[in-house]
Amino acid sequence: MTAHSFDHVVEVLIVGSGGGGMTAALAADAEGLDTLLVEKSARFGGSTALSGGGIWVPGAPSQRREGHVPDPDAVFAYLKEITAGLVTDARLRKYVDAAPEMMEFLEKISPWLEFVWKPGYADYYPELPGGSALGSTINVPEIDLRKLGDEEQNLLAPLALAPRGIWFAPKDLRLFYQVRQSWRGKAVLVKLIWRMFRARVFGDRMAAIGQSLSARLRLAMRQQNIPLWLNAPMTELITDSDSPEARVIGAVVEKDGRPLRIHATRGVVLASGGFDHDMAWRLEHLPELARVAELAGPGTDWSFGNPAAMGDGIRAGEKVGGATELLDEAWWFPAICWPDGRLQFMLNERMMPAQFIVNGAGKRFINEAAPYMDFAHAMIEGERSGVTHIPCWLITDIRSFHRYVVGGHLPIPKVPFAPVPTGRKVPQAWLESGVVKTGGSWEELAREIGVPGDELRKTAERFNALARAGHDDDFNRGDSAYDNYYGDQTLPNPNLYPLGKPPYYAFQIILGDLGTSGGLRTDEFARVLRPDDTVIDGLYAVGNVSAAVMGRSYAGAGATIGPAMAFGYVAAKHIAESHTASPATTSQASTALKLQGGNQQ
C-alpha cells in the first residue's frame, strides 16, 4: 500500500511485544525517537513470555562481573563453525559485538532489568573452539507479578500453567531432576512446597524465566513512558511508491475495530514472530510434519510458540519485496504428545543413564543426549531415508522409572492430589493412551511398538555392554559437558548405565518446536533484504520474523531470545544513526494524533 493521508505519526513503529520488540522500543526511545509498539493479541510478551527466559550473550556484563570474559574472536569462530556458512560473517560479528552492548544498555536504563549469570549450563557444543563448558546463558531473577499492577492480566501466560506458587529458578530444575540422587534435589522439592504455602498464605504471584523477563521489559517500557497498543494487529506495510525500490514509511494497524494508517517517519521494525501455527504453510516447506500432525491427532496444534504467531510480519515483508530463507526450519525439540494434545518437552529424559532411543527399525540412530535441534534434525533426515523416525521410542526399565523424573512423573511415594504423577507404578492412563508401551521382554516390547524383536534385543544388549564399559563407542553419549548436565552425577559416566530387569517401557517421541526460525532475510543491521540483496529502506526485522542468525543450529540455551533482543537493539541504533527520513512529511498527516503516555492499550 502506498502513501496517502495518515491517522498517526511516529518516528519508529515496532510490531510485536516479545523480547526483540520491547528491547527495540527501549533502545529507540533512549535515542530520543518517538516510538510506538503495537501487539496483535490481547497479551504482551510473545514467545519470550512462554520461554525458558535464557539469553545467550557471551561477554555479558553479568559474566564480566564474575571475572569471565570470553574472547569475541573465539565466539565468532564458534558461531561460524556451527552455522556452516549459512550466515554472513557480518551478521555473526555484529551479534558477537552488539549483544553484550545491548545487555549493558538494558542494565543502565532501568533497575527492573537485572541480569545474572550462573556458570555451568554449557553451550550446546562446548568442545568446539570458542564453545564454553561454563556457558553464556544469562537469566533474570524471579519477580512478583503483582508489580505489574493492572497489567498483570495482560501478560501472556504459559500454555501449561503450574500449580499456584510453583516456579523454578534456572538452577532449580537441574537439582529437581536429582530428587532421588542428592540432598540438594530433595531441598528443591521442599523449596517448591514452601513456595506453594507462601503463595496461598501471602498471595505471592512469583514468576521466573520467560514470564519474569517479559514482565521486567514491560515495566521498563512503562518507566520510560513508551506506549504499547494491545489488540492492534498490523495488517499491511505502507510504501512511498509502487516502484520496486520503494521505501517503507508506515503500516496499517487495526485498533478499536478500525484500520489506522500510521506514518513511521524513520522506520518500521517487525518483531512479530514466526508462522508457528500456520500448519498449512509449514507443510509446504516440510512435508514430514504431516506425520507429526497424524500422530498428534486431528486439530492438535503442537507448536510451543506464541499462539498468535501466524506469519503476518513475514507475509507483509514479502509483499513489499522482502526475501525469505530457512522457511523449513524451526527451533525443534523432541516431545511426548499426550492424548489431550498437550506436548511435553523431552529434555532430561534423553540424558538419563539407563535409556536408549530407537527408530522404526529398532536401532539407535544418534547420541540421545545431543542438543535438541540436532536430535530433531536426525529424526527428520531419518524419516526421509524411508525408516520411521517420527515417532521414535525412548526405551527404559522400571529401575529408572523409580529413580529418575520421566515424563513428568516424580519418583517419590504416592502423594494424593499431587499436581504431577507420583508413586512407584507407571500411571495406567499412560499405558491406556498408547503413548507409553510396556513389555516383559525385549520381543514383547518390540511387538508393542512395531519394531523387529531381534533388532531391539541386539540394540539393548549392545547398549548394555557399552554402558558397563563406561563409554558409548557408537555415538559418544556422555563425552560432552552438555550431555552431562541433566545426567546422574553419582555415576562415572552420568549418561550411561545398563538397563536391568523387566518390565521395560517405551515412550513415544514426536517432533515438537518452540516456534519457527525461518523468515525475512536481513543484513547485519537487521534491515530486510530483497532477493538481489538490496536493502528495503525503512524496514527492519528481528526475532523469529527473520531468518535466524543461528542458521540451522543452536549455540546454547537462550540462542533464540539473545539474537532477538540484540538485533532489536541494533535496529533501533541504526534507525537513530540514519539521517534519511521518509520523503513523506508530517504535513501529510495533519489529522494525526500525537502519541503520548506509556500505557495505551
Side-chain angles (χ1 to χ4, degrees):
M1 181 181 290
T2 53
H4 298 294
S5 61
F6 291 94
D7 300 293
H8 288 281
V9 176
V10 291
E11 289 176 293
V12 181
L13 174 65
I14 299 165
V15 182
S17 65
M22 287 196 278
T23 301
L26 289 164
D29 178 79
E31 293 289 340
L33 299 174
D34 184 20
T35 302
L36 168 66
L37 192 151
V38 298
E39 166 58 46
K40 171 183 179 178
S41 76
R43 305 284 185 266
F44 70 85
S47 288
T48 301
L50 308 179
S51 73
I55 312 165
W56 192 78
V57 180
S62 51
Q63 280 188 323
R64 297 198 298 266
R65 287 193 291 268
E66 299 294 327
H68 181 61
V69 185
D71 177 8
D73 290 337
V75 176
F76 170 78
Y78 173 67
L79 290 175
K80 191 170 175 61
E81 174 73 16
I82 67 171
T83 53
L86 289 175
V87 182
T88 65
D89 286 2
R91 283 186 78 201
L92 296 176
R93 179 62 72 179
K94 177 61 75 172
Y95 180 59
V96 171
D97 294 342
E101 185 181 312
M102 173 270 296
M103 298 293 284
E104 185 173 3
F105 159 75
L106 291 176
E107 286 189 343
K108 288 180 177 177
I109 202 169
S110 174
W112 292 114
L113 297 173
E114 179 185 355
F115 299 98
V116 295
W117 174 64
K118 294 186 178 180
Y121 196 0
D123 291 344
Y124 288 175
Y125 308 95
E127 287 72 38
L128 288 179
S132 171
L134 293 176
S136 292
T137 302
I138 312 303
N139 297 103
V140 293
E142 65 277 5
I143 191 172
D144 192 324
L145 294 180
R146 289 178 294 183
K147 295 182 184 298
L148 282 167
D150 292 342
E151 281 205 272
E152 181 185 348
Q153 64 185 346
N154 298 332
L155 174 62
L156 184 62
L159 302 179
L161 289 173
R164 184 179 176 187
I166 292 290
W167 55 273
F168 287 93
K171 286 296 181 76
D172 286 347
L173 190 60
R174 182 191 192 191
L175 294 172
F176 180 69
Y177 287 145
Q178 300 170 12
V179 66
R180 287 291 302 276
Q181 286 78 59
S182 74
W183 285 106
R184 294 177 71 195
K186 294 174 177 63
V188 169
L189 181 59
V190 172
K191 189 188 298 184
L192 294 178
I193 295 170
W194 168 245
R195 288 171 183 168
M196 290 179 64
F197 173 78
R198 271 199 59 96
R200 293 178 186 277
V201 174
F202 298 105
D204 296 349
R205 291 198 287 275
M206 302 302 294
I209 59 178
Q211 290 280 286
S212 178
L213 176 57
S214 297
R216 290 171 180 278
L217 286 166
R218 179 63 188 122
L219 286 165
M221 278 184 60
R222 201 163 67 181
Q223 169 195 302
Q224 301 304 110
N225 209 32
I226 302 171
L228 164 66
W229 289 0
L230 299 176
N231 293 305
M234 184 274 296
T235 60
E236 195 171 3
L237 293 169
I238 302 172
T239 57
D240 61 359
S241 74
D242 291 322
S243 75
E245 295 78 30
R247 173 188 173 87
V248 170
I249 59 170
V252 178
V253 173
E254 290 185 2
K255 189 173 190 296
D256 298 329
R258 69 186 187 96
L260 300 178
R261 295 170 56 82
I262 298 179
H263 183 199
T265 62
R266 301 294 292 271
V268 174
V269 180
L270 298 176
S272 51
F275 58 110
D276 315 354
H277 300 281
D278 188 332
M279 293 304 167
W281 195 9
R282 297 192 63 179
L283 280 167
E284 288 179 26
H285 295 283
L286 194 66
E288 287 77 14
L289 292 180
R291 181 65 177 140
V292 180
E294 178 186 339
L295 290 165
T300 299
D301 193 340
W302 40 263
S303 175
F304 262 51
N306 177 8
M310 296 293 290
D312 305 339
I314 300 173
R315 289 190 180 89
E318 284 185 303
K319 190 173 180 181
V320 297
T324 57
E325 59 187 3
L326 299 177
L327 294 183
D328 61 333
E329 273 297 351
W331 304 111
W332 304 112
F333 66 85
I336 300 171
C337 185
W338 298 106
D340 61 2
R342 178 175 54 89
L343 236 66
Q344 186 165 332
F345 198 121
M346 185 169 266
L347 180 61
N348 67 293
E349 291 92 344
R350 295 185 299 107
M351 297 179 181
M352 279 187 339
Q355 57 78 13
F356 57 86
I357 294 174
V358 298
N359 58 22
K363 299 179 180 180
R364 294 178 70 203
F365 59 94
I366 191 175
N367 164 14
E368 290 85 351
Y372 34 89
M373 285 280 281
D374 289 355
F375 190 96
H377 284 148
M379 291 176 69
I380 295 168
E381 291 302 319
E383 192 73 10
R384 290 172 180 169
S385 74
V387 176
T388 299
H389 286 70
I390 305 173
C392 52
W393 296 87
L394 181 139
I395 312 296
T396 191
D397 62 1
I398 191 64
R399 174 189 176 276
S400 287
F401 185 79
H402 291 160
R403 186 169 175 81
Y404 304 112
V405 177
V406 186
H409 171 272
L410 195 58
I412 60 175
K414 185 73 174 177
V415 178
F417 310 112
V420 296
T422 57
R424 293 185 61 79
K425 292 183 178 180
V426 174
Q428 188 62 31
W430 288 11
L431 299 171
E432 292 172 356
S433 74
V435 175
V436 183
K437 304 282 190 178
T438 186
S441 67
W442 296 121
E443 287 76 13
E444 184 181 346
L445 185 63
R447 286 194 298 273
E448 289 292 320
I449 64 176
V451 306
D454 58 339
E455 287 296 342
L456 184 61
R457 176 172 286 279
K458 287 179 187 176
T459 299
E461 290 174 350
R462 171 67 176 170
F463 176 82
N464 280 352
L466 295 173
R468 281 189 287 269
H471 186 264
D472 178 11
D473 294 347
D474 293 344
F475 296 99
N476 299 314
R477 184 165 115 202
D479 286 6
S480 172
Y482 172 75
D483 296 1
N484 301 161
Y485 189 75
Y486 289 118
D488 186 341
Q489 305 301 318
T490 67
L491 299 176
N493 185 326
N495 305 107
L496 291 180
Y497 192 84
L499 279 75
K501 297 178 181 179
Y504 303 117
Y505 297 92
F507 289 73
Q508 186 185 77
I509 303 175
I510 70 166
L511 194 62
D513 68 63
L514 302 170
T516 56
S517 60
L520 296 167
R521 189 146 54 87
T522 57
D523 69 2
E524 67 271 26
F525 300 109
R527 297 179 296 184
V528 176
L529 301 175
R530 299 184 179 91
D532 64 359
D533 282 344
T534 58
V535 170
I536 300 178
D537 287 335
L539 184 62
Y540 299 76
V542 304
N544 288 349
V545 75
S546 63
V549 73
M550 295 292 157
R552 296 185 183 276
S553 192
Y554 209 103
T560 307
I561 297 174
M565 294 173 65
F567 282 105
Y569 173 79
V570 166
K573 294 285 285 186
H574 189 267
I575 291 170
E577 291 163 4
S578 171
H579 299 293
T580 305
S582 167
T585 65
T586 54
S587 63
Q588 285 181 286
S590 57
T591 60
L593 301 175
K594 180 66 176 175
L595 298 172
Q596 296 177 344
N599 194 28
Q600 299 188 43
Q601 297 166 358

